[in-house]
Amino acid sequence: MMFSMMGSWLGRARQSVLVVAAAGALVSGCASRDQDVWDPIELPNRFIFSINQAVDVIALRPLAVAYRDLVPEPAQRGINNALHNLGEPVTAINEVLQGDPGRALTTLARFIVNSTIGIGGLFDVASAMGLSKTKEDMGKTIGMWAAAPPEDGGPYLVLPGMGPSNARDAAGMVFDNAVDPFNILAYALNWDRLLVLGPRNAARAVDARSRTLVALDDIEKNSVDFYAAVRSAYTQQRGELIRRKREKTDTRGELERREDLALVR
Amino acid sequence: MVVSRRILCGTALAFLVLPAQASDAAKFVEVLADKVVELVKSRTGAERQAGFQEIMQASFDLPYMGRSALGTHWGRASEEQRSRFLKAAESAESKAYSERFGSYAGQTMAIGKVSPRGGGVIMVESSINQSSGPPIRVEWELQDRGAGLRVTDVRVEGVSMVMTRRSDFNAYIQRNGGDVEVLIKELESRAAR
């Protein structure tokens, strides 16, 4: 059942909230007692939010706009593919920890195929071969197993230069960085981290920001308290990703139970 | 424990919903999306905004959404404040929607699963397929609160429009002295712009 609809703004809405390297406060001041997201250190969070916002206005946003408008579309896609490819090992590790080694193998296969045939990950040949793309992180893995509602990631945090997070996702990020083979390699071979990993992180920031331009502009323009709107949207979106992971395992468990029943009969 | 309860509730409710109701809900979303496409293709500027306002008045349960978005402050607002709030919020949302959809770029929408939730709520899943990039998940929350099926929330990639507004509005009110009047004034001045 297909029929037309529109929504280019929605296009970027998906990653929107995920990587809000931007962010910005209209105001900064006293803490609110708005309890839908637990935000015990709202005052410092708002302060960092406004600094992030300043950096965004001066540097990151203009870069992202130029990148989106001036770099040819195929090049943008190639860069995005390459960055995603560098992240595949971390996704695979998380898929194992999520109890899905089969999916982890598919991710590793993607990594091998795209790194070779896909010329260092610039082309996503694996998707064309039917190996679907996934993106996992430790924040989601923790959320999946935690005995807490998916929206409860502990205290909300705004990270300097990185944007919205919470205790769960920030701890996840530390873990992901620690197990990232490329980080380990750089450490083991004593590479100049700034020289080798800097470009990757810079590209990652610009690529991510270029995908959130429309959605973040929309949130900023249509909210009366940008900080609170971003806090809510981030929390909801991460919660939804975790909820979907949990539901997936639920249905699988259910099917397995039914199969067992059939065997007994 | 929580998980098993969720499965139980889901299974129990699945039997309660009539197939007719589910197809009604899917049809409702389909018709709504067609109206929006038609509007975006044919109108721009103020005409488009007026068109969005009309569509929202007809297909959305705006008083209910407004009440949810205002949360606890709804109870403390006077009758006059409530109606001013609803009016200002309605024109702000229709303006936002009409600006959001720049020009139509051939996206298509596919209706997915229709599932009942507790309290007469029906969720219609849909995905918007774009020419580039992955499809976007949009869920439509429908309720029949006496006047036929109406949209009571829209979730884009899990982000609820009503819940985001509630956080936004609550934070604004609390940071500006706790009086709902400040929010209404702000929304009214934005609508006038």
Side-chain angles (χ1 to χ4, degrees):
Chain A
M1 208 185 327
M2 303 274 283
F3 55 92
S4 23
M5 186 156 169
M6 76 304 304
S8 58
W9 69 281
L10 293 169
R12 289 96 179 187
R14 48 176 24 249
Q15 294 100 335
S16 78
V17 212
L18 248 178
V19 206
V20 190
L26 300 174
V27 266
S28 55
C30 53
S32 81
R33 272 144 296 280
D34 174 19
Q35 276 310 313
D36 57 346
V37 178
W38 186 33
D39 191 359
I41 53 162
E42 181 169 343
L43 188 66
N45 276 343
R46 280 194 188 259
F47 178 66
I48 294 167
F49 191 79
S50 61
I51 292 174
N52 285 351
Q53 170 75 349
V55 173
D56 185 60
V57 170
I58 296 164
L60 189 56
R61 193 178 183 284
L63 264 173
V65 170
Y67 177 76
R68 181 192 63 183
D69 296 342
L70 303 178
V71 176
E73 178 111 25
Q76 288 186 37
R77 214 174 311 132
I79 290 169
N80 182 254
N81 285 340
L83 290 169
H84 185 89
N85 191 54
L86 291 174
E88 300 277 34
V90 171
T91 292
I93 290 167
N94 276 291
E95 281 164 345
V96 170
L97 296 174
Q98 287 168 5
D100 199 347
R103 178 56 242 193
L105 282 178
T106 308
T107 301
L108 277 184
R110 277 182 55 87
F111 179 65
I112 293 163
V113 168
N114 282 342
S115 300
T116 52
I117 310 172
I119 316 175
L122 284 174
F123 299 94
D124 186 3
V125 196
S127 285
M129 290 169 57
L131 302 170
S132 64
K133 194 168 159 179
T134 47
K135 179 101 192 107
E136 300 299 336
D137 59 75
M138 192 61 186
K140 272 163 84 177
T141 307
I142 298 170
M144 188 178 158
W145 299 117
E151 276 78 17
D152 181 6
Y156 180 73
L157 300 171
V158 180
L159 304 178
M162 275 181 284
S165 189
N166 53 43
R168 177 194 66 208
D169 295 341
M173 202 193 295
V174 171
F175 176 87
D176 289 337
N177 278 320
V179 298
D180 189 333
F182 295 105
N183 285 350
I184 295 172
L185 205 65
Y187 183 76
L189 301 181
N190 220 359
W191 287 342
D192 186 340
R193 288 177 64 90
L194 199 70
L195 219 66
V196 178
L197 302 173
R200 177 190 178 188
N201 289 332
R204 211 193 242 167
V206 174
D207 170 73
R209 186 65 182 99
S210 74
R211 285 151 196 283
T212 60
L213 283 168
V214 176
L216 266 185
D217 286 355
D218 192 295
I219 297 180
E220 181 166 19
K221 194 170 72 179
N222 294 308
S223 61
V224 284
D225 188 330
F226 187 32
Y227 172 89
V230 167
R231 180 178 62 190
S232 173
Y234 175 82
T235 307
Q236 288 183 60
Q237 205 208 22
R238 292 291 292 175
E240 170 76 3
L241 289 174
I242 290 164
R243 176 168 288 117
R244 280 163 67 192
K245 287 237 76 101
R246 288 188 185 178
E247 274 164 10
K248 218 163 137 195
T249 34
D250 284 356
T251 37
R252 191 165 49 221
E254 182 68 5
L255 286 174
E256 276 164 10
R257 266 194 294 282
R258 277 184 211 163
E259 270 169 22
D260 291 348
L261 276 176
L263 284 176
V264 171
R265 270 184 223 131
Chain B
M1 173 67 185
V2 176
V3 168
S4 61
R5 197 188 306 139
R6 194 162 61 211
I7 290 175
L8 280 176
C9 290
T11 326
L13 283 165
F15 289 114
L16 286 175
V17 105
L18 302 167
Q21 199 189 345
S23 70
D24 279 357
K27 185 82 197 150
F28 182 90
V29 174
E30 204 175 316
V31 169
L32 172 60
D34 281 346
K35 274 195 232 168
V36 171
V37 170
E38 198 43 53
L39 176 69
V40 172
K41 276 182 176 168
S42 60
R43 299 271 185 277
T44 52
E47 275 188 337
R48 187 192 277 186
Q49 191 185 330
F52 263 108
Q53 198 150 353
E54 241 168 66
I55 291 175
M56 288 173 87
Q57 281 166 350
S59 309
F60 286 55
D61 191 338
L62 293 168
Y64 176 78
M65 293 171 88
R67 197 173 71 200
S68 311
L70 213 48
T72 51
H73 296 284
W74 180 267
R76 275 175 249 145
S78 71
E79 217 32 74
E80 184 255 347
Q81 281 176 321
R82 287 176 188 175
S83 73
R84 276 170 57 220
F85 164 74
L86 288 176
K87 189 162 167 275
E90 185 185 307
S91 79
E93 288 302 334
S94 55
K95 191 173 177 197
Y97 270 96
S98 76
E99 285 170 1
R100 220 164 255 163
F101 303 100
S103 52
Y104 178 66
Q107 291 89 343
T108 59
M109 188 168 101
I111 303 271
K113 212 169 64 190
V114 179
S115 48
R117 301 282 155 89
V121 175
I122 304 172
M123 295 298 292
V124 179
E125 288 176 18
S126 69
S127 65
I128 295 178
N129 302 298
Q130 329 168 75
S131 42
S132 66
I136 302 149
R137 273 168 49 97
V138 179
E139 288 168 284
W140 307 82
E141 186 191 289
L142 304 178
Q143 285 186 58
D144 184 350
R145 302 173 40 82
L149 275 182
R150 292 284 183 278
V151 176
T152 50
D153 198 4
V154 184
R155 289 163 190 263
V156 179
E157 294 289 337
V159 179
S160 145
M161 178 179 147
V162 169
M163 217 188 282
T164 309
R165 282 287 163 271
R166 177 155 61 199
S167 288
D168 182 24
F169 290 165
N170 270 331
Y172 188 83
I173 292 170
Q174 267 153 11
R175 293 171 61 79
N176 289 281
D179 187 0
V180 70
E181 184 61 29
V182 192
L183 173 73
I184 299 170
K185 286 239 166 70
E186 174 67 20
L187 290 176
E188 280 173 340
S189 82
R190 283 169 176 238
R193 257 178 245 157

